[in-house]
Amino acid sequence: MDEQQSLPPHVLIFPLPLQGPVNSMVKLAQLLCFSGMHITLLLTENIHNRLVRHTNISSRFDQFAGFQIKTISDGLPEDHPREGSKFLELFDSLKLKTKPLFKYMLTSGLLCSDDGKRRPVDCIIADGVLGFTCDVADEIGLPIFCVRTISPCCLWIFFCLPKLIESGEYPFKDDDLDEPIRSVPGAENFLRRRDLPGFCRSGNLTDSNIQLYKTEGQENSRAYGLILNTFEELDGPTLNQMRTICPNIYPIGPLHANLKNKLYEEKTSLGPSSNSLWAEDRSCINWLNNQPFKSVIYVSFGSIATMTNEQLMEFWYGLVNSGQRFLWVIRPDSMAGDDRKNKIPADIAEGTKERGYIVGWAPQEEVLAHPAVGGFWTHCGWNSILESVYEGKPMICWPYFMDQQVNSRFVEEVWGLGLDMKDTCDREIVEKMVKDLMVVRKEEFLERANHMSKLAKNCLIEGGSSYSNFERLVKDIKSFK
């Protein structure tokens, strides 16, 4: 027993099996490894297979003797899409079929090492939307931290959903999406109906999304603490509101940059690594190398968003007509229904040949850090926003779902880092917004973006807010041993 006590704490990390959460929590796992902990990263079999196929996940942690990956079934057939409109089917299956497997894994000794060099699990770090992990932690007496990889501003709206319903602001009484929302403390002066998560537009209190997310405040407050991928200087007012429900919050972001700093500090031999579930086309970096300074707008709508052929054409014409250089990620599965079968008109084909470059997937962190990139047209996923903020790149926002609607409002109205284009798909508006971001208001946006970038970098150095919060997290985890 004395030998076991001398071993490092053993932490189980269980991400929600989607690209964004997996990306963030693999980075968190690496950071905790550098802090001297033993880590078990628990991945669904589907996610593990995709990571092995497209990344160096198998070799990346070789330097950490206390690290292991374990897999668990998500209970769905192999050909199930698991994302987009089918996400709730994944969530239901995790709750019904994965929960008992999760409990068995923690209580059976499967996670200890046979030679006694790894302790039993001391604490759990799980995605906060996986409420069943809190149930299991309570049942077996393990402390648990929740991680939310969506934006704090959206999570705060989830916390406030019961208040929105109680006040009569939701469901909406008419179709005016510009009606102000007054029941989200701290956002009374700028939040509108159209800025709430897209599923709120159904107006149906029995909607499965409403039922899932209206308990967020109650679920996340069950944990010992709430880990967030943000920093105080960006989200301070929202975090202060959230602390009225979850007092113990650890803002330790931007996670991707936190990890880069640690890799540099440790002088590790590890090269660039990716957590992408798609194969990256690195030819775009060579293309960027031949473009002028801050002349390119990078366009990517993330790993889930889909477009109709009509939307694709409006976006494409708007980009070409703006006269700006562009790098555009169009995933092979990004078309809704027709898979871009229509012939590309000659004028936009010619404009793309002159000033554009299209790939199926890109190494996004590297792209946003590239000096040729001057702006980012994004779906407003939280990882994408933080990567853009850190690199000082202004944004055009075309949100698709979940936290992206509220994120885009904050980008424009609260942080002044770009333009919100939600609920719009028109080539003239696209052309105008691209010109505004890259030419007309370029200096204005760059000045604000550079300021926020400095704050993001400073929060990660010794004494900075995220640096200190991460040190506090490590100390608290070690106290559970």
Side-chain angles (χ1 to χ4, degrees), residues 260-304:
K260 280 181 183 175
N261 284 6
K262 181 59 70 173
L263 290 169
Y264 178 79
E265 180 184 313
E266 297 289 332
K267 298 181 173 60
T268 176
S269 59
L270 289 174
S273 60
S274 165
N275 301 317
S276 175
L277 303 178
W278 283 267
E280 295 174 339
D281 184 344
R282 295 189 54 80
S283 67
C284 61
I285 301 298
N286 291 331
W287 182 81
L288 285 172
N289 290 340
N290 294 311
Q291 308 307 313
F293 182 68
K294 290 195 185 301
S295 65
V296 176
I297 182 164
Y298 169 57
V299 186
S300 175
F301 302 134
S303 60
I304 295 176

Side-chain angles (χ1 to χ4, degrees), residues 45-57:
E45 292 161 355
N46 174 269
I47 291 294
H48 181 252
N49 291 340
R50 293 172 70 183
L51 283 173
V52 167
R53 192 179 312 132
H54 297 304
T55 77
N56 63 348
I57 190 76

Side-chain angles (χ1 to χ4, degrees), residues 138-155:
D138 287 345
E139 290 166 14
I140 64 178
L142 274 180
I144 185 168
F145 294 83
C146 284
V147 179
R148 292 316 313 267
T149 58
I150 61 171
S151 64
C153 53
C154 183
L155 189 56

Side-chain angles (χ1 to χ4, degrees), residues 189-190 192 408-418 420:
N189 295 328
F190 59 87
R192 309 161 298 179
S408 63
R409 185 63 167 171
F410 270 66
V411 166
E412 181 173 88
E413 283 294 314
V414 179
W415 302 319
L417 296 173
D420 185 359

Side-chain angles (χ1 to χ4, degrees), residues 315 318-319 377 421 426-434:
F315 290 159
L319 278 170
W377 182 6
M421 201 180 78
D426 176 273
R427 65 186 68 184
E428 292 182 1
I429 292 175
V430 170
E431 178 183 349
K432 181 181 186 306
M433 285 198 172
V434 171

Side-chain angles (χ1 to χ4, degrees), residues 148-162 164 184 187 190-191 195-200 213-214 216-217 220 228 230 235 238-239 242 380-382 385 401-410 415:
R148 292 316 313 267
T149 58
I150 61 171
S151 64
C153 53
C154 183
L155 189 56
W156 177 233
I157 287 177
F158 289 163
F159 284 10
C160 294
L161 272 177
L164 283 167
V184 178
F190 59 87
L191 199 66
D195 304 317
L196 298 179
F199 60 77
C200 290
Y213 293 113
K214 78 175 183 180
E216 284 274 5
N220 283 271
L228 296 174
T230 190
D235 273 319
T238 302
L239 295 173
M242 293 176 68
C380 275
W382 189 235
I385 286 181
F401 84 140
M402 194 51 71
D403 60 337
Q404 298 162 18
Q405 271 80 10
V406 63
N407 295 351
S408 63
R409 185 63 167 171
F410 270 66
W415 302 319

